[in-house]
Amino acid sequence: MDFFTTVFRPFARFESFWTQRTEDYGAIRASRAYVCQCGRPVFFRNSACLSCGTPLGFVAERSRLEPLAPVADAPDQWTLWSAPDGPRYRRCANLDMVGCNWLVPGDAAPGTVCLACSLNRTVSDPSDPVNLAAWRALEMAKRHLVAQLLAMGLPVEPRNPQAPDVLGLAFDFLRPTPEQPVLTGHDHGLITLNMDEADDARREQVRAQMGESYRTLLGHFRHEVGHYYWDRLVLNSAWLDDYRGLFGDERASYAEALQRNYTQGPPPDWPQYFVSSYASTHPWEDWAETWAHYLHMVDTLGTAMRFGLDAKDVELPYAPFTVDALWRPQNPDAEGFLQIVNGWVELTGVLNEMSRSMGEPDFYPFVLTPAVVAKLQFIHCVVLQARQPVQPDAPAPMQTQVQAQQTTS
């Protein structure tokens, strides 16, 4: 059963899927619920089972965290515990440096990094302990992002100078200095992240100063990669006219839009039409913010389903959405998308109440409106068309590049 079939269900109707048939020690594809060969639960970021010590590795092309068995006659090579005669793997060369638990093909040269790590172009001086700690936090969030993109079937390809016609993806993680400030942003496939964002206290300070209700590393990654996928999936495509009809004309001056937002603030009626105040700045930002929320929804719903959360008794702040809120009510997948959105409303009602019970801010401090739901459906349709099939038994499409360049910014 593929990712969209298992995840895109109304949350209140997930009951029959909570006991979904497990595969190979319970690691169900595209979820965050995994089980070691010893039967104990393990988690996406684990490189070894905390109960029995079995090494674990994430197989990107299968979107699964797997228990590993050593190959007796080949040091540093591993097979999957469930397939001892199957393909061989190595650990990512960044395992010790940043805790990367992803795998590369067994015939890769020593020092090879995995697909997620190969997306790095520049990392500010990792010999500095402060930078190294920030890099580890950034990589953890980036692996979460990349795993989700792969599970959704979206193209994830590193920048390749030998393939200039393909818009590849790359990351710069840079430490700002008084002489060289760093702005988090996207430029034609290159995503730059200010390493200060990995400091929880600093990030919370910025969140409060900016009047934001939500600011996380994973949120940054999801927002910025939204810009990348706009360039890759919408620009110069048949989607562009419909995009402009929903989000606005991106040809409007971006610099003027930013200046207007900083001097005048968002329009007073922004909550009716945008998922966040920043989304009202410019059509590009509206797309990126809405894209990030789409990824929030898909990932969190899938995880909730696998852990069996129940939203049947939650009191909804408003009635579930109907087809009247959709961009294309006649689309064949319209009913399925409605179930996603209404399931999300139910789930976040539960999680917000749980956060309040702990005296914490709301888990999802946003309100969806019909205008936002229409934009989310548009993104859903773009994603469905862009999907690439996941083939669990295909050879691993891992990268065999040298370890990411690491320089001082």
Side-chain angles (χ1 to χ4, degrees):
M1 184 174 290
D2 68 14
F3 174 77
F4 284 81
T5 302
T6 57
V7 171
F8 290 165
R9 303 281 177 162
F11 189 72
R13 301 177 190 174
F14 277 162
E15 292 93 335
S16 62
F17 295 92
W18 293 346
T19 54
Q20 186 76 355
R21 178 179 63 84
T22 59
E23 309 171 60
D24 297 344
Y25 306 112
I28 303 171
R29 182 190 317 219
S31 78
R32 303 297 179 200
Y34 306 102
V35 179
C36 179
Q37 56 83 23
C38 70
R40 301 294 296 175
V42 291
F43 300 94
F44 176 71
R45 62 183 62 182
N46 291 158
S47 57
C49 174
L50 298 180
S51 179
C52 70
T54 297
L56 305 170
F58 186 77
V59 185
E61 76 277 11
R62 304 181 72 182
S63 296
R64 289 169 55 156
L65 184 68
E66 296 276 5
L68 304 177
V71 176
D73 60 348
D76 299 325
Q77 296 215 359
W78 307 83
T79 60
L80 306 186
W81 190 285
S82 58
D85 297 323
R88 295 184 178 189
Y89 299 91
R90 289 184 183 273
R91 313 299 293 271
C92 174
N94 280 342
L95 172 63
D96 294 330
M97 178 76 77
V98 294
C100 181
N101 63 349
W102 286 33
L103 302 177
V104 300
D107 59 1
T112 298
V113 296
C114 69
L115 172 59
C117 289
S118 74
L119 300 175
N120 292 346
R121 191 184 76 157
T122 309
V123 177
S124 289
D125 188 10
S127 66
D128 182 330
V130 175
N131 286 348
L132 179 59
W135 185 25
R136 291 178 69 93
L138 289 163
E139 286 297 331
M140 190 178 300
K142 177 161 70 71
R143 287 195 296 273
H144 195 118
L145 169 77
V146 175
Q148 181 186 8
L149 298 175
L150 292 172
M152 292 172 66
L154 290 169
V156 179
E157 300 173 81
R159 275 189 168 191
N160 184 352
Q162 280 69 53
D165 295 337
V166 177
L167 181 61
L169 184 61
F171 291 88
D172 281 352
F173 298 149
L174 304 179
R175 176 70 65 187
T177 65
E179 299 77 23
Q180 186 178 2
V182 174
L183 295 178
T184 293
H186 168 267
D187 181 18
H188 199 64
L190 175 62
I191 293 174
T192 300
L193 277 129
N194 184 330
M195 294 178 81
D196 281 349
E197 290 287 342
D199 184 318
D200 293 341
R202 172 60 179 159
R203 190 174 62 253
E204 174 60 18
Q205 181 184 37
V206 173
R207 186 201 64 77
Q209 290 173 348
M210 300 289 289
E212 299 172 341
S213 55
Y214 172 89
R215 190 180 184 94
T216 68
L217 284 180
L218 185 54
H220 281 315
F221 276 105
R222 285 175 170 163
H223 175 99
E224 299 303 339
V225 87
H227 288 300
Y228 167 74
Y229 282 109
W230 188 89
D231 282 355
R232 179 145 185 174
L233 304 179
V234 178
L235 181 63
N236 300 323
S237 79
W239 294 109
L240 191 55
D241 288 341
D242 287 325
Y243 162 81
R244 288 171 177 165
L246 274 173
F247 294 85
D249 193 334
E250 82 290 348
R251 292 170 293 188
S253 171
Y254 184 73
E256 291 178 7
L258 282 181
Q259 182 62 29
R260 183 169 55 251
N261 179 70
Y262 290 138
T263 58
Q264 302 176 17
D269 61 349
W270 73 261
Q272 298 180 43
Y273 305 104
F274 302 95
V275 74
S276 70
S277 61
Y278 188 62
S280 69
T281 303
H282 186 274
W284 278 336
E285 300 303 343
D286 192 9
W287 163 273
E289 284 285 272
T290 310
W291 173 278
H293 281 257
Y294 181 78
L295 296 193
H296 293 335
M297 291 166 54
V298 171
D299 196 26
T300 310
L301 277 170
T303 300
M305 178 186 71
R306 291 309 179 195
F307 283 102
L309 295 184
D310 189 346
K312 289 190 298 184
D313 298 324
V314 67
E315 181 179 348
L316 298 181
Y318 47 83
F321 294 103
T322 66
V323 293
D324 294 337
L326 297 183
W327 165 61
R328 289 277 176 86
Q330 73 277 17
N331 269 21
D333 67 311
E335 181 62 30
F337 174 75
L338 263 183
Q339 293 174 351
I340 300 170
V341 173
N342 289 332
W344 179 242
V345 172
E346 296 180 31
L347 171 61
T348 53
V350 171
L351 296 179
N352 283 346
E353 287 300 324
M354 293 177 67
S355 292
R356 294 163 190 165
S357 296
M358 288 293 294
E360 292 290 338
D362 282 359
F363 171 86
Y364 186 71
F366 303 93
V367 175
L368 302 184
T369 64
V372 173
V373 169
K375 295 173 187 177
L376 286 166
Q377 189 203 9
F378 177 82
I379 289 175
H380 177 68
C381 292
V382 173
V383 168
L384 287 179
Q385 187 182 84
R387 287 181 64 201
Q388 300 174 343
V390 178
Q391 300 177 5
D393 299 323
M398 301 289 187
Q399 303 300 306
T400 55
Q401 301 177 5
V402 296
Q403 189 165 354
Q405 176 189 5
Q406 299 167 357
T407 63
T408 302
S409 63

